[in-house]
Amino acid sequence: MNRWLPFEWITAVRFLREGRLQTLFIIGGIAIGVGVIVFMSAMLAGLEANFIRRVLTSQPQIQLLAPDQVARPLHNGVGEFEDATVQRPSQRVISIDQWPKIRNQMLAMPEVTAVSPTILGSALAVRGDASRAINLSGIEPDSYFRIVRVPDYIVAGEPRLSSEDIIIGLELAKDLGATVGDKLNIRAASGANRVLTISGLVDLGSKGANLRNTYVALRTAQSLLGMIGGVTTIDMTVADIYAAEEIAKRIQAANAVEADSWIKTNAQFFTAVRAQETSNTLIRLFVALSVAFGIAAVLIVSVIQRSKDIGILRAMGTSRGQILRVFLLQGGLLGFVGSLFGAAMGAFALIYWHSVARQPDGSELFPLILERKLFILTALLATLTGLLAATAPAVRAAKLDPVVAIRG
């Protein structure tokens, strides 16, 4: 079989086999480094996907609001403004002007995937002698549930919202001693009140949200809050979640609305995600450097140990280019073989960690994401690192004078 293999391959494999102990140690070191890269990359990707899923399925990616009310200085009637302290007016719940037109404009944008008008306000939920302040969200279920995945968080009942239904948080239900099918008297600050039936209980993953958030039909909330035909926000999702801030700025510049993206409202979370990606890159870099130095050290020792062999090969007519390729192939083979073992180690470690790491409710801490692309890129990175690390020893071997090398 050897006659079909190039001289460089045969010689490179023979050198590696002759130094078995060194070869095994460096392959082990490479495997550990690659295993760390695979484990950390896949775990961080899973955690990021889980965090983003939880954030983006519990709130809009872009939210349009009515412009903030800005106080103006008083006019004195003679063409001048009075030089007086300008106080900010009290902010009240106001509707977005011409919101159906704005909604239609948003639906026409190719970047936008879902749009839903919503009305938000405060109210009081009363059951018997118990009462709690709540955040009342009036929604159109068909469009809103495509943006905020309320049905995914339902723990009892169903996500049904007729004009007589209400969905409440789990903690609020406990405080009121209520369950699915019970009646709640909802009282708004305007004096309006409505008796609604609990159709579902929702667990949003936050005690504060479960204690205050409630959902009713859009028309029901408009009636309770005294805003017939009005909405306070227009909620949206976009195809590229990381472009949300840029899209929000364009919308705000072209319309008389304020536009907040999930990136702006979750600035700390977004910064943490970016920092996580940076740390992952740094981990890969330092692991690759440690692997490269290990390969280079082993191959330099190999050049020194095999100086006479190299001299004999050169005296027999082996070219400098062939000697160069022999040691480059050794580096590439070490990196490639080590990456195979390392990828398997990292994958098995991740599978085990995924099976034991659980959230308090027993659900998985992060989704198991093992993409083929990760293994391919890791193998390429390790092989390229091996080739680069072997460059200096290979050049040194190729430059050896055969006479000097044979004399030792």
Side-chain angles (χ1 to χ4, degrees):
M1 181 178 67
N2 289 348
R3 62 179 180 156
W4 301 107
L5 292 175
F7 164 78
E8 293 89 337
W9 281 90
I10 297 171
T11 308
V13 172
R14 180 168 66 84
F15 281 176
L16 290 174
R17 289 177 61 185
E18 288 176 357
R20 287 187 182 89
L21 190 59
Q22 292 177 347
T23 300
L24 290 175
F25 271 113
I26 192 59
I27 286 178
I30 295 169
I32 292 172
V34 170
V36 170
I37 291 177
V38 170
F39 179 84
M40 292 297 295
S41 298
M43 185 184 70
L44 292 176
L47 288 171
E48 180 180 339
N50 189 45
F51 290 154
I52 289 178
R53 179 182 63 82
R54 284 185 171 272
V55 168
L56 298 187
T57 58
S58 60
Q59 68 177 56
Q61 294 171 15
I62 296 178
Q63 190 172 63
L64 308 185
L65 306 94
D68 196 9
Q69 292 178 289
V70 179
R72 297 179 180 178
L74 295 177
H75 196 279
N76 62 9
V78 292
E80 297 179 356
F81 291 103
E82 293 183 1
D83 186 14
T85 301
V86 179
Q87 294 184 344
R88 182 183 181 86
S90 60
Q91 299 297 301
R92 58 186 177 87
V93 178
I94 58 175
S95 175
I96 296 176
D97 188 34
Q98 297 182 340
W99 68 264
K101 177 183 177 182
I102 296 176
R103 178 188 58 183
N104 293 336
Q105 289 177 353
M106 299 303 104
L107 286 170
M109 293 179 63
E111 306 97 325
V112 176
T113 57
V115 180
S116 180
T118 307
I119 183 169
L120 305 174
S122 300
L124 196 66
V126 181
R127 183 174 185 268
D129 295 331
S131 63
R132 292 290 184 274
I134 61 172
N135 294 328
L136 194 67
S137 299
I139 63 174
E140 292 181 341
D142 291 342
S143 59
Y144 188 79
F145 289 168
R146 293 176 58 196
I147 299 172
V148 179
R149 309 286 186 179
V150 174
D152 294 349
Y153 302 109
I154 292 288
V155 293
E158 56 183 331
R160 184 189 71 244
L161 280 181
S162 69
S163 60
E164 304 299 324
D165 293 324
I166 184 171
I167 296 173
I168 68 173
L170 199 58
E171 298 297 330
L172 178 60
K174 290 179 181 178
D175 280 5
L176 296 176
T179 187
V180 175
D182 289 344
K183 305 288 186 180
L184 289 184
N185 188 0
I186 307 300
R187 299 175 182 173
S190 63
N193 70 286
R194 190 84 169 266
V195 176
L196 302 175
T197 303
I198 300 174
S199 61
L201 302 181
V202 66
D203 182 2
L204 298 173
S206 166
K207 186 174 181 179
N210 290 339
L211 191 60
R212 296 183 62 84
N213 287 10
T214 63
Y215 302 94
V216 299
L218 181 62
R219 292 184 180 276
T220 302
Q222 288 172 335
S223 176
L224 280 167
L225 298 174
M227 291 180 59
I228 302 301
V231 300
T232 58
T233 66
I234 297 176
D235 299 333
M236 304 162 51
T237 56
V238 291
D240 182 1
I241 61 174
Y242 293 108
E245 179 64 16
E246 179 186 345
I247 296 171
K249 289 179 179 178
R250 284 197 282 114
I251 292 172
Q252 182 167 318
N255 298 274
V257 294
E258 288 189 11
D260 290 336
S261 72
W262 74 275
I263 295 175
K264 181 179 179 181
T265 55
N266 297 273
Q268 291 183 338
F269 166 79
F270 189 72
T271 301
V273 169
R274 290 306 187 196
Q276 181 175 280
E277 293 176 352
T278 302
S279 65
N280 191 18
T281 301
L282 288 175
I283 289 171
R284 293 177 185 175
L285 176 62
F286 286 121
V287 169
L289 286 174
S290 65
V291 168
F293 280 115
I295 294 174
V298 167
L299 292 181
I300 288 173
V301 171
S302 178
V303 170
I304 295 172
Q305 290 176 339
R306 292 179 172 81
S307 294
K308 288 186 178 181
D309 294 336
I310 295 169
I312 293 171
L313 289 172
R314 290 281 291 116
M316 294 173 63
T318 305
S319 67
R320 292 182 184 275
Q322 287 178 308
I323 296 296
L324 182 72
R325 289 192 290 274
V326 165
F327 284 90
L328 288 177
L329 280 171
Q330 287 187 70
L333 285 171
L334 287 171
F336 179 71
V337 174
S339 72
L340 296 181
F341 287 104
M345 289 170 55
F348 282 123
L350 183 68
I351 292 171
Y352 172 75
W353 180 247
H354 177 264
S355 66
V356 299
R358 295 288 162 178
Q359 298 195 53
D361 60 359
S363 61
E364 64 179 14
L365 181 62
F366 57 90
L368 187 61
I369 301 177
L370 288 171
E371 297 178 338
R372 182 183 302 175
K373 179 176 69 174
L374 173 62
F375 296 103
I376 294 174
L377 290 177
T378 303
L380 289 174
L381 174 64
T383 304
L384 181 61
T385 301
L387 289 170
L388 292 175
T391 301
V395 170
R396 176 174 178 172
K399 288 183 176 180
L400 281 176
D401 184 275
V403 175
V404 176
I406 292 173
R407 288 178 178 177

